[in-house]
Amino acid sequence: MTDTTLKTPVRPPRRLRVGDLAREYGVLIIIALLLVALTMLSGSFLTPRNLLNILNQSTPLFIISCALTLVIIGGGFDLSTGAIFGVASVSAGWLAVNVDPFFAIVAGPLIGMVLGALNGIIITAFNVHSFLVTLATSLVYRGMAILVTDGKLIPVRIEEFSWLGRQKLDLGGGVAVNVAVIVMFCFMALMMFVLNRTTLGRAVFAVGGNEEAALLSGIRTNLVKIITFAVSGGAAGLAGVITVSRLSMAEPQAGTGLEFEAIAAVILGGTSIMGGAGAVWRSMAGVLLMALIGNGFNILNVNPFFKDLTTGVIIVLAVALAAAGNRR
């Protein structure tokens, strides 16, 4: 008698393909190739001083991209980080000069957090897409920055304030690292812990992956969105304070275009723009790749146009590679 019982076919284990590796770790492969190429082309590239300078110059973008990763994984989009950066920086500069420098350092991130939370509240209360809301609030926040300064620069030559951006810690052997870089690594570690080891992090992935299913499972999706935007705003505020303390100057137009650089870095690192997938380390890799391209072109004295062209081509390739992986 023939056994007609249906059996579940056993699928063979999936082989790890070159395309899968390229899609998963493509940004790291590009960084490695770029490091080798720049080292061969310039003897001054692979030196502790230059590498630390790259980290120091990119610290604000690193910090903003870390927090923006949570927003994008949660299915949101934040175009106001550059404007919040400007408001927080001029507010901190004004407070440092007129009130207290230590209070100014703390107030900058808090102001950014409040403005970011306001973004989240508007988005959830009126059920409007985050792209439109943050585009509108970016114009409002930029106007606020101009009102604070009356369109003028604010010199902040106060030692108690400038230490955050200028003070260095001696590591020995003639190598010193900026305090701001240490703050950046601490912030990155905190964001990685929140995203990967906490209930909030799991909720962010759930909301970005399927908001309706997350809501039905008991997750307070609106609160999660507000928190992610508040964290993004706080990061922009912290980045603004670091920049002002380094330059000893606050200006209302500071941070213009920074939001697009951060979004590009997050996407370049491999975080899905559709939400529900990504990692902080990926965004950090994206920022590092953009920083290496900029630093390398400066060292080689190449036309800046080619730097933007190269960065744009790499971003397009990264998005195309991710899209190809999603179709499979």
Side-chain angles (χ1 to χ4, degrees):
M1 186 176 179
T2 305
D3 186 6
T4 58
T5 303
L6 294 178
K7 296 182 179 180
T8 303
V10 179
R11 295 183 179 180
R14 185 180 178 183
R15 295 180 179 179
L16 193 61
R17 301 176 181 177
V18 175
D20 297 330
L21 286 174
R23 187 172 62 254
E24 189 73 15
Y25 302 106
V27 64
L28 298 181
I29 295 172
I30 295 175
I31 288 174
L33 294 174
L34 194 58
L35 286 171
V36 173
L38 292 176
T39 301
M40 295 176 62
L41 292 172
S42 174
S44 61
F45 172 75
L46 198 63
T47 60
R49 181 177 180 179
N50 184 57
L51 296 179
L52 288 173
N53 181 61
I54 292 174
L55 291 177
N56 186 46
Q57 294 295 327
S58 304
T59 291
L61 185 57
F62 270 114
I63 291 174
I64 292 175
S65 299
C66 271
L68 188 61
T69 304
L70 273 68
V71 174
I72 293 180
I73 291 177
F77 215 73
D78 194 351
L79 291 176
S80 67
T81 51
I84 293 177
F85 177 99
V87 173
S89 61
V90 296
S91 299
W94 188 90
L95 290 170
V97 173
N98 296 282
V99 181
D100 181 80
F102 293 106
F103 175 73
I105 292 176
V106 177
L110 291 179
I111 291 172
M113 191 173 295
V114 170
L115 297 179
L118 182 60
N119 284 338
I121 291 171
I122 296 173
I123 291 166
T124 55
F126 297 98
N127 195 27
V128 182
H129 196 282
S130 56
F131 181 94
L132 298 175
V133 171
T134 56
L135 177 61
T137 56
S138 67
L139 301 176
V140 175
Y141 297 160
R142 187 63 68 184
M144 290 172 57
I146 295 175
L147 287 176
V148 170
T149 63
D150 195 25
K152 301 176 182 178
L153 302 178
I154 301 179
V156 191
R157 300 182 180 89
I158 303 174
E159 186 177 351
E160 292 83 1
F161 182 81
S162 62
W163 67 270
L164 181 61
R166 294 192 173 190
Q167 186 169 333
K168 297 183 178 182
L169 296 180
D170 189 6
L171 302 180
V175 178
V177 60
N178 288 71
V179 172
V181 174
I182 298 175
V183 172
M184 178 265 291
F185 277 116
C186 291
F187 187 81
M188 178 183 68
L190 176 62
M191 290 297 98
M192 292 179 69
F193 176 80
V194 169
L195 192 60
N196 300 319
R197 301 292 182 182
T198 67
T199 303
L200 174 61
R202 291 189 291 272
V204 170
F205 279 106
V207 172
N210 190 324
E211 183 177 350
E212 184 177 352
L215 184 62
L216 292 174
S217 65
I219 295 175
R220 300 173 65 182
T221 56
N222 286 347
L223 180 60
V224 171
K225 290 181 182 180
I226 292 172
I227 291 175
T228 58
F229 279 96
V231 171
S232 178
L238 175 60
V241 172
I242 289 175
T243 301
V244 174
S245 64
R246 179 197 300 160
L247 301 178
S248 298
M249 186 70 67
E251 56 176 318
Q253 295 300 326
T256 301
L258 191 59
E259 65 275 15
F260 297 111
E261 292 183 40
I263 292 170
V266 174
I267 297 173
L268 184 58
T271 293
S272 174
I273 198 171
M274 303 303 294
V280 172
W281 73 263
R282 290 186 173 280
S283 300
M284 298 302 93
V287 175
L288 181 59
L289 178 56
M290 294 174 63
L292 288 176
I293 293 174
N295 181 261
F297 275 65
N298 288 337
I299 289 179
L300 299 176
N301 198 26
V302 180
N303 190 323
F305 166 77
F306 293 104
K307 181 195 77 171
D308 296 335
L309 178 63
T310 303
T311 304
V313 170
I314 292 176
I315 292 173
V316 171
L317 291 177
V319 173
L321 192 60
N326 292 332
R327 287 196 300 267
R328 293 179 54 181

